[in-house]
Amino acid sequence: MSIIPNILFAIILIAGIGYFAKNVKKLIRNINLGRDVDVSDNTSQRWKNMARIALGQSKMVHRPIAGFLHIIVYVGFVIINIEVLEIIIDGLFGTLRIFSGLGVVYGCLIGAFEILASLVFVAVIIFWIRRNVIKLQRFWKPEMKGWPKNDGNIILYFEMVLMTLFLVMNATDVHFQAMNSGNVISQFIAPLFSGLSEGTLHIIERAAWWIHIIGILTFLNYLYFSKHLHILLAFPNTYYGSVKPKGELDNLEAVTKEVMMMMDPNADPFAPPAENESGEEEVAKFGASDVQDLNWVQLLNAYTCTECGRCTSECPANQTGKKLSPRKIMMDTRDRLEEVGKNIDANNGVFNDDGKQLFGDYITNEELWACTSCNACVEACPVSINPLSIIIDMRRYLVMEQSAAPVELNNMMTNIENNGAPWPYNQMDRLNWKDE
Amino acid sequence: MSELLKVPTMAEYMAQGKQPDVLFWVGCAGSFDDRAKKITKAFVKLLNKAHVDFAVLGTEESCTGDPAKRAGNEFLFQMQAVTNIEVLNAYEVKKIVTACPHCFNTIKNEYPELGGNYEVMHHTQFLKSLLDEGKLTIEGGKFKGKRITFHDPCYLGRANNVYEAPRDLIKKLDAELVEMKNCKSKGLCCGAGGAQMFKDAEKGDKEVNVARTEQAIEVKPDIIAAGCPFCNTMMTDGVKAKDKEADVEVMDIAELIANAQDL
Ligand code: SF4
Ligand code: SF4
């Protein structure tokens, strides 16, 4: 027996995993471009969130049809991957169905895989119909043109092909069919190939086997470029997601320092600003105009976004025709982060100012000022993403760095400063209601 | 009737060397907005009736800073917060009740990190506890058979997971509580949050408050119950926009209960 196939397999496997690892490194580097944020608190609550939301898919079932179908695909995906282990061992050592020695257990396993594969196939077809025939509104928003739209469909085609290959591979495996254990679905596909000689069948079986494993490796490498990255990142993302009440916005520490100084009667107003180790003046930038100003959890959020649009479909601004779409906020953040990452790659590891930024080139004023901070997007997200936090950070930049709030809001803020209320009433009149 | 309101201030308490059980944080809307002032008074009537030992800050109260923070002005927010916290801490305030979910959220969640630690309750939670303790009783009757739908304020519901206290109170009124298609954690915003109250909406094809009011009208209520002065304004405007003022009333939970008592 020739060992060429084994060597070929090993090369493909190493190349596939190697390229994936390279992109994972890039992913981690890009996420680390974000500001640091302390997420070391509440570890047990965080583990629970991850188990419940990512592993248990608890948020998905809020939309029962999509949720149910998604669970099928998810469970199918996870379990069928046990089969990949067998494929890898067979491929490397030239064995044939190494686990088949398990007998009945093997039959049960493969039987379960076959059933799951068929269910996944059906679910994926329904997903495709929802996207392309029923045209569910949330998949047809302006930000879902071009790549995002194709991406959604490509994934579905991938799944269809992989599941078909898996079933065909089993159906054309003469020995496996002869075992007649576990071929619950493939026995009905086998007759399709009944006229063929054993040699031809073997070729089909081998072809299906090879394309299947190459398909899986391709899929793995496709993830980095796709919204499908969520199958991996949903886990860390739900772990690092907020454990505070949704209404709580973070207090900017840099601002606290300045406010405390201003309020402290003993502080020397002419004291030089604090210096960092390198002796440079530390100028804290308030808020975010670009991805590097966001914290790394927000950047992880962007890579995790599944582009499902649950956030956007619940958003009151979007529902009433405003330009704001929380999904677009996440997609823009990811696109810009990728752009910055590529810039760094092209310039030997340092970012070369490209005259662009997240604010203005991706996200506009009009979007930012349409938000009511209602948290509907945060509540709706099945993977604990917080689009609102990015909107607020960008507003902070506009107001504190650019003094670019809408006029009416400037009036409101002047009133608060002068009268302690957002309207032009005198603070001394605050208790007048009592006697009115 | 209003001359019967007892509204002591913290300063008065201090002068007598006393400490009230709870501080009533009135908020800007509750102090200045004509519609919201009625809610404030209804709530005070209930506090008086239940003989709650409370006080207000009066002229020493200032905006919590919520609209400034949500508009992105963290400076102004923290200045307001630190000033308020100084006043509250000087009076050694332990417990705060407010009829505004925005004040509730800010003081409860965002003040602790700046040195303000208090037990904070929304007025619906507080009223519920008064009922549970038997300090206040509700005789139904007046609202018997009325259909009431509750609009969840974002800053009470999603923001802080308080969904049941206001509903429990409505049920006590012997009224029929009807839910809108978007309720509780899926409640639709009234459109006022995030400082939108103070500006015109961005370009779109509809106002958020009208969309929400339509959802409310769908369930044919006699009363839309609110738990936030801003939601109250938005829903009232929505009802006007839909020409339904003759059929539907917008009322705060505190007003419902005060009315049931004929206060
Ligand atoms: S918080 Fe802002 S972006 Fe999110 S749903 Fe509400 S209005 Fe839309
Ligand atoms: S942010 Fe969450 S809800 Fe919105 S599209 Fe992304 S994954 Fe879906």
Side-chain angles (χ1 to χ4, degrees), chain A residues 62-63 244-253 255-260 262-263 286 314-317 319-323 365-377 379 388 392 395-397 399-400 405-406 408-409 412-414 416-417 419-423 425-436, chain B residues 2 5 7 9 24 26-33 37 40-41 44 56 58-63 67-80 82-83 86 105 108-110 113-114 154-155 158-161 163 182 185-186 188-189 191 193-196 198-208 211 230:
Chain A
H62 288 266
R63 302 204 177 191
K244 295 177 183 160
K246 288 194 194 63
E248 177 176 346
L249 295 183
D250 60 333
N251 292 324
L252 282 188
E253 234 176 277
V255 172
T256 312
K257 273 190 214 133
E258 297 211 12
V259 168
M260 292 301 177
M262 282 162 72
M263 308 283 287
F286 299 122
E314 299 290 333
C315 172
Q319 282 179 15
T320 53
K322 276 81 175 177
K323 223 178 125 200
N365 250 316
E366 189 182 335
E367 292 163 79
L368 295 174
W369 293 114
C371 175
T372 71
S373 74
C374 72
N375 266 305
C377 52
E379 176 76 34
L388 173 59
I392 294 289
R395 283 186 178 185
R396 285 171 172 168
Y397 167 77
V399 173
M400 292 192 283
E408 305 120 297
L409 291 189
M412 175 270 287
M413 292 188 280
T414 313
I416 295 182
E417 251 180 277
N419 325 317
W423 301 288
Y425 295 111
N426 192 322
Q427 186 165 1
M428 286 304 127
D429 295 336
R430 257 190 121 92
L431 201 49
N432 291 4
W433 56 268
K434 181 172 77 130
D435 309 307
E436 280 170 8
Chain B
S2 64
L5 286 185
V7 193
T9 62
F24 171 30
V26 184
C28 299
S31 304
F32 293 123
D33 180 86
K37 281 192 268 190
T40 307
K41 287 189 198 171
V44 168
V56 298
T59 55
E60 290 182 278
E61 190 187 280
S62 186
C63 175
K69 188 175 181 88
R70 266 102 201 136
N73 196 338
E74 183 72 9
F75 265 108
L76 182 53
F77 162 71
Q78 291 202 14
M79 294 290 289
Q80 288 297 117
V82 171
T83 316
E86 258 178 25
N105 176 69
K108 174 174 165 287
N109 295 325
E110 288 158 3
E113 228 180 67
L114 300 170
C154 301
Y155 276 84
R158 265 191 301 276
N160 289 294
N161 288 321
Y163 300 110
N182 282 86
S185 67
K186 300 195 74 173
L188 179 66
C189 178
Q196 293 292 336
F198 306 99
K199 66 186 270 294
D200 283 329
E202 299 301 314
K203 214 163 74 247
D205 48 36
K206 199 182 226 171
E207 294 290 340
V208 177
F230 298 103

Side-chain angles (χ1 to χ4, degrees), chain A residues 137-374:
Chain A
Q137 235 193 1
R138 65 184 156 109
F139 299 125
W140 288 83
K141 296 273 174 185
E143 67 267 24
M144 294 308 283
K145 293 201 184 94
W147 172 245
K149 174 167 177 254
N150 295 336
D151 181 24
N153 283 327
I154 289 172
I155 293 287
L156 298 178
Y157 301 139
F158 246 115
E159 299 256 7
M160 287 180 213
V161 171
L162 286 180
M163 293 305 121
T164 310
L165 287 169
F166 174 70
L167 290 171
V168 167
M169 178 181 97
N170 285 354
T172 51
D173 185 331
V174 184
H175 300 288
F176 175 68
Q177 290 298 328
M179 272 167 57
N180 204 13
S181 153
N183 55 344
V184 270
I185 304 286
S186 58
Q187 59 177 305
F188 300 106
I189 304 175
L192 294 177
F193 302 94
S194 58
L196 305 174
S197 72
E198 198 163 316
T200 321
L201 276 182
H202 184 67
I203 292 173
I204 298 178
E205 190 267 334
R206 282 293 87 191
W209 187 93
W210 277 97
I211 304 172
H212 184 65
I213 186 67
I214 292 173
I216 286 174
L217 287 172
T218 313
F219 186 78
L220 183 70
N221 281 288
Y222 180 77
L223 292 183
Y224 177 72
F225 306 95
S226 161
K227 69 170 183 107
H228 247 57
L229 206 42
H230 77 268
I231 61 176
L232 302 174
L233 296 188
F235 293 89
N237 202 70
T238 46
Y239 180 87
Y240 292 118
S242 173
V243 285
K244 295 177 183 160
K246 288 194 194 63
E248 177 176 346
L249 295 183
D250 60 333
N251 292 324
L252 282 188
E253 234 176 277
V255 172
T256 312
K257 273 190 214 133
E258 297 211 12
V259 168
M260 292 301 177
M261 268 215 343
M262 282 162 72
M263 308 283 287
D264 181 0
N266 303 320
D268 172 8
F270 303 107
E275 292 187 354
N276 64 14
E277 283 138 36
S278 58
E280 285 168 41
E281 271 188 25
E282 203 157 4
V283 201
K285 176 175 174 182
F286 299 122
S289 63
D290 209 348
V291 285
Q292 296 97 321
D293 307 325
L294 296 169
N295 68 48
W296 66 264
V297 174
Q298 291 169 315
L299 300 184
L300 172 64
N301 276 187
Y303 273 122
T304 308
C305 177
T306 73
E307 296 171 19
C308 69
R310 282 169 171 74
C311 52
T312 295
S313 77
E314 299 290 333
C315 172
N318 194 278
Q319 282 179 15
T320 53
K322 276 81 175 177
K323 223 178 125 200
L324 172 62
S325 161
R327 167 173 56 190
K328 178 175 172 291
I329 300 286
M330 301 319 299
M331 292 167 68
D332 285 343
T333 305
R334 178 171 177 176
D335 289 348
R336 173 60 184 159
L337 182 54
E338 271 297 295
E339 188 175 56
V340 169
K342 285 194 186 121
N343 181 312
I344 293 175
D345 290 336
N347 295 299
N348 303 319
V350 275
F351 178 66
N352 211 334
D353 190 6
D354 58 357
K356 285 191 180 178
Q357 56 176 8
L358 185 60
F359 173 73
D361 296 297
Y362 289 83
I363 299 174
T364 59
N365 250 316
E366 189 182 335
E367 292 163 79
L368 295 174
W369 293 114
C371 175
T372 71
S373 74
C374 72

